[in-house]
Amino acid sequence: MRDWSMKGRPEVFAPEFNQIAGMPELFTDLTIKLHFVRLCSHGREWNYPQRQQAANTLYFVLGGDAFIRHGTNTMPLLPGHAYLLPRGCPLDLHCHTHIQKIWCWFDLLLHNTVDILDGQTTPFHLGQHDFTLAELPDMTARLFRRQIEDHLFWLGTICRYLARLDQDLSECYHHTRQRTGKLMPLFDYIENNLSAKLTLDELASVMKCHPNSLSRLFCRTTGMTLSRYLRRRLMQKAAAMLADRELAVFEIAHELGFADEYYFNRVFRKYFGIAPGKYRHGFFHDSAGPESSDQQS
Amino acid sequence: MRDWSMKGRPEVFAPEFNQIAGMPELFTDLTIKLHFVRLCSHGREWNYPQRQQAANTLYFVLGGDAFIRHGTNTMPLLPGHAYLLPRGCPLDLHCHTHIQKIWCWFDLLLHNTVDILDGQTTPFHLGQHDFTLAELPDMTARLFRRQIEDHLFWLGTICRYLARLDQDLSECYHHTRQRTGKLMPLFDYIENNLSAKLTLDELASVMKCHPNSLSRLFCRTTGMTLSRYLRRRLMQKAAAMLADRELAVFEIAHELGFADEYYFNRVFRKYFGIAPGKYRHGFFHDSAGPESSDQQS
């Protein structure tokens, strides 16, 4: 299959490539942040209309009969295939019996701040994945060990599947760069100080302009009102915190600057159409019933 | 080979994994920054004693008869194998006739600031790479196109090979976290203001302590004097800028805060044992002679 281990003094391989070529330092402003990779099965409780994605989601579907609906289009989630559901893209999730998948949550960030897939409104079919049944036990073992090399392994896997987006990815990148250009300090400040208490006046003072001109500039540049963007980022962060087991719901509400848990519950439910507790439940309980939650370490 | 495309209603795959498992948000403080990937051939001009690596280097060796020496140890660079040369690890590079390789330069950063492989003093053999001769043309085509999806593809490839470091990588990570803990604001400041003009007093004021106590603290925590660390980061940055074609040597000297090009030349030569112009030459000229430099786009 391979003939690298040539004996004697090997000739130069492939003379047509006998030149120095490579990518310049072009995309070092792009980083990928992996929140988690999980192996999970869900039954019909997975069905959910108009679920917002709180982070970019990559599915490697292993089994089941699920499909997603975006607008009037339906996309089946075929076993053996990979799918990207961009963050903020509202979808209906459906399955008749169950869905089994490897499920990755990640951000693809420009300047560690703005997700370049934010704003994508359609899911992507990335084609067949190449996880063979033989290597799957080893790959899933990596999910249980939680070591840094496993983190890098999955990061690498996700990058290579994202590369299949080709032209679409270039568009996301250049569009985001263009869209955020002048506003980058604002996005930076928002990410570092994200809280329900953040005010327009505070942001205007960061950008050294009048609150009204900031609102207008933001709306013109991004096509979205600033308050809508803030609520969206706040809810995405809340969802990411719920997907982690560390903090109780009332602690998350407090951390994010909400006056009380009840108000947080109301805002979250309005945004995602589901209460925070139930949202978390969906992350940690599978179709085998509540007792299976004891198995996850 | 695969039986994903089962007909009818597929059963749950591998019931022993029928539980939710995954990595918590543990390593989101780690980012990888890819400077470049190049395909290159060098002849005997590649031979160089005590060459410092300016960034982490990953070699996918395709052909040739090269070897590296670190201290008294010799490691052959076998065609078909992958090697990691950590940044700052001084090596002798040798070949009898030539070396052909895919050559990646990257940083593996904690909090976007400190490279966790910095401080590693030995190269690593990562085992055979799995680039088949058949897929190599497609992979190298990705080097010429310079699109974001190619960047992600190579990022993914590097991550997956780094995952082979296993225990060593965990040690680097935890060691760096421990080592940099309290000093993180200092490292942050250094990265954002790296220049030959940076003074100890300025850094002490950032850390709100006396210059002498900062020196002592830095030395005790990292095992290296602060001035040595500053020179090292400055030279690594200079080398990275030289590897890029954008700026002339005198512009780089100016950018890095050197009084003039001659002084920069002297410092660079003292650190790397080679003049900046010659160092850059080595990046862009291959064994086919100087005229081949016209081919690189």
Side-chain angles (χ1 to χ4, degrees):
Chain A
M1 176 179 155
R2 301 192 303 170
D3 61 355
W4 298 111
S5 52
M6 305 170 255
K7 295 289 173 207
R9 197 150 282 182
E11 290 306 301
V12 169
F13 157 81
E16 69 269 35
F17 294 119
N18 188 12
Q19 51 187 307
I20 298 181
M23 290 174 285
E25 197 183 341
L26 262 180
F27 302 107
T28 50
D29 52 4
L30 195 77
T31 51
I32 178 163
K33 193 183 247 189
L34 179 55
H35 290 285
F36 65 69
V37 183
R38 294 204 174 117
L39 174 69
C40 59
S41 301
H42 279 102
R44 298 187 58 182
E45 80 285 1
W46 188 69
N47 293 351
Y48 209 83
Q50 286 297 311
R51 169 86 82 165
Q52 292 261 8
Q53 303 299 317
N56 302 308
T57 300
L58 214 148
Y59 282 160
F60 298 106
V61 182
L62 305 179
D65 52 8
F67 59 97
I68 49 181
R69 210 175 270 145
H70 54 105
T72 56
N73 298 317
T74 298
M75 183 184 269
L77 299 181
L78 300 172
H81 288 245
Y83 299 86
L84 169 68
L85 319 184
R87 90 194 306 171
C89 163
L91 297 168
D92 297 344
L93 310 177
H94 291 281
C95 69
H96 293 299
T97 58
H98 72 283
I99 161 110
Q100 196 182 35
K101 60 192 182 300
I102 291 173
W103 169 26
C104 315
W105 246 33
F106 66 97
D107 303 329
L108 195 56
L109 300 170
L110 188 70
H111 293 298
N112 295 305
T113 307
V114 185
D115 195 297
I116 70 165
L117 293 173
D118 201 359
Q120 284 303 302
T121 52
T122 56
F124 294 94
H125 176 213
L126 300 176
Q128 288 201 316
H129 61 69
D130 56 9
F131 301 171
T132 61
L133 280 174
E135 70 186 4
L136 205 58
D138 177 56
M139 292 179 86
T140 47
R142 287 181 174 275
L143 298 180
F144 291 87
R145 291 193 326 192
R146 306 175 177 202
Q147 295 296 315
I148 193 162
E149 60 271 20
D150 306 317
H151 186 88
L152 274 180
F153 172 85
W154 279 106
L155 201 60
T157 303
I158 292 167
C159 284
R160 292 189 65 158
Y161 280 89
L162 286 180
R164 295 188 180 179
L165 283 173
D166 271 344
Q167 202 48 43
D168 293 309
L169 200 61
S170 288
E171 270 169 33
C172 290
Y173 175 78
H174 292 293
H175 180 76
T176 309
R177 269 181 74 116
Q178 206 174 24
R179 185 166 64 86
T180 54
K182 266 194 215 161
L183 291 173
M184 214 61 206
L186 179 74
F187 286 113
D188 264 342
Y189 188 85
I190 292 174
E191 289 314 302
N192 292 324
N193 301 279
L194 196 58
S195 147
K197 288 175 183 156
L198 213 56
T199 63
L200 181 58
D201 285 349
E202 188 180 344
L203 295 175
S205 80
V206 170
M207 294 298 284
K208 297 186 184 67
C209 66
H210 192 274
N212 290 352
S213 14
L214 179 62
S215 289
R216 271 198 308 274
L217 175 67
F218 192 90
C219 205
R220 209 171 50 229
T221 325
T222 67
M224 188 192 289
T225 65
L226 184 50
S227 63
R228 194 171 151 218
Y229 178 79
L230 287 174
R231 192 173 54 246
R232 180 151 128 172
R233 283 299 302 129
L234 199 60
M235 288 300 102
Q236 287 174 348
K237 187 163 180 190
M241 289 169 91
L242 286 166
D244 197 21
R245 267 274 168 110
E246 293 261 311
L247 296 173
V249 176
F250 78 91
E251 288 172 311
I252 293 173
H254 179 76
E255 185 97 335
L256 292 176
F258 284 90
D260 57 57
E261 188 183 341
Y262 307 101
Y263 180 50
F264 170 65
N265 272 4
R266 222 165 63 217
V267 176
F268 191 91
R269 186 196 283 267
K270 191 168 171 204
Y271 188 82
F272 284 107
I274 185 173
K278 216 170 156 193
Y279 186 89
R280 167 171 279 173
H281 190 86
F283 271 87
F284 292 103
H285 294 261
D286 67 11
S287 55
E291 67 274 16
S292 68
S293 66
D294 297 328
Q295 293 174 18
Q296 66 100 23
S297 55
Chain B
M1 178 180 154
R2 299 195 301 169
D3 60 354
W4 298 111
S5 53
M6 305 170 254
K7 295 289 174 207
R9 196 152 281 184
E11 289 305 302
V12 170
F13 158 79
E16 69 269 33
F17 292 121
N18 187 11
Q19 50 186 307
I20 298 180
M23 290 175 287
E25 198 184 341
L26 262 179
F27 302 107
T28 50
D29 51 4
L30 194 78
T31 51
I32 178 162
K33 194 183 244 187
L34 179 56
H35 290 283
F36 64 69
V37 182
R38 293 201 175 120
L39 173 71
C40 59
S41 300
H42 280 103
R44 297 189 56 183
E45 81 284 0
W46 187 69
N47 293 351
Y48 210 84
Q50 285 297 310
R51 169 85 83 162
Q52 292 260 8
Q53 304 299 318
N56 301 310
T57 300
L58 213 148
Y59 283 159
F60 298 104
V61 182
L62 305 178
D65 52 9
F67 59 97
I68 49 181
R69 212 176 269 145
H70 53 108
T72 56
N73 299 317
T74 298
M75 183 184 270
L77 299 182
L78 302 171
H81 288 244
Y83 299 88
L84 169 69
L85 319 183
R87 90 193 308 172
C89 162
L91 298 168
D92 297 345
L93 310 178
H94 291 281
C95 68
H96 294 298
T97 58
H98 72 284
I99 160 108
Q100 195 182 34
K101 60 191 182 299
I102 291 173
W103 170 26
C104 316
W105 247 32
F106 66 96
D107 303 328
L108 194 56
L109 300 171
L110 187 69
H111 292 298
N112 296 305
T113 309
V114 185
D115 195 295
I116 69 164
L117 293 172
D118 201 0
Q120 283 302 304
T121 52
T122 55
F124 294 93
H125 177 214
L126 299 178
Q128 290 201 317
H129 60 68
D130 56 9
F131 301 171
T132 61
L133 281 173
E135 69 186 4
L136 205 58
D138 176 57
M139 292 179 85
T140 48
R142 288 182 173 276
L143 298 180
F144 291 86
R145 291 192 327 188
R146 303 176 179 204
Q147 295 296 315
I148 194 161
E149 60 270 21
D150 306 317
H151 186 89
L152 274 180
F153 173 85
W154 278 106
L155 200 61
T157 303
I158 293 167
C159 283
R160 291 189 64 156
Y161 279 90
L162 286 180
R164 294 188 181 180
L165 283 173
D166 270 343
Q167 202 48 45
D168 293 309
L169 201 61
S170 287
E171 270 169 32
C172 291
Y173 175 79
H174 292 293
H175 181 75
T176 309
R177 271 181 72 116
Q178 203 173 27
R179 187 167 62 88
T180 52
K182 266 193 217 162
L183 292 173
M184 215 61 207
L186 179 75
F187 285 113
D188 263 343
Y189 189 85
I190 293 173
E191 290 313 303
N192 294 324
N193 301 279
L194 196 58
S195 148
K197 288 173 183 159
L198 211 55
T199 63
L200 182 57
D201 286 348
E202 187 180 343
L203 294 175
S205 80
V206 170
M207 294 297 284
K208 300 185 182 64
C209 65
H210 192 273
N212 290 352
S213 11
L214 178 62
S215 290
R216 268 199 309 273
L217 176 67
F218 192 91
C219 205
R220 208 172 47 227
T221 324
T222 68
M224 186 192 291
T225 66
L226 184 50
S227 63
R228 197 175 148 214
Y229 178 78
L230 287 175
R231 191 171 60 244
R232 179 152 129 173
R233 282 299 302 129
L234 199 60
M235 288 300 103
Q236 287 174 348
K237 187 165 180 187
M241 290 169 90
L242 286 164
D244 196 23
R245 267 275 168 107
E246 294 261 312
L247 296 172
V249 175
F250 78 91
E251 288 173 312
I252 292 173
H254 180 76
E255 184 97 335
L256 292 176
F258 285 89
D260 58 58
E261 186 181 343
Y262 307 103
Y263 179 50
F264 170 65
N265 273 3
R266 223 167 62 219
V267 177
F268 191 91
R269 187 195 283 270
K270 191 167 170 206
Y271 188 83
F272 285 107
I274 184 172
K278 217 171 156 191
Y279 185 89
R280 167 171 280 175
H281 190 86
F283 271 87
F284 294 101
H285 294 260
D286 66 10
S287 53
E291 67 274 16
S292 67
S293 66
D294 297 331
Q295 294 175 15
Q296 66 101 23
S297 55

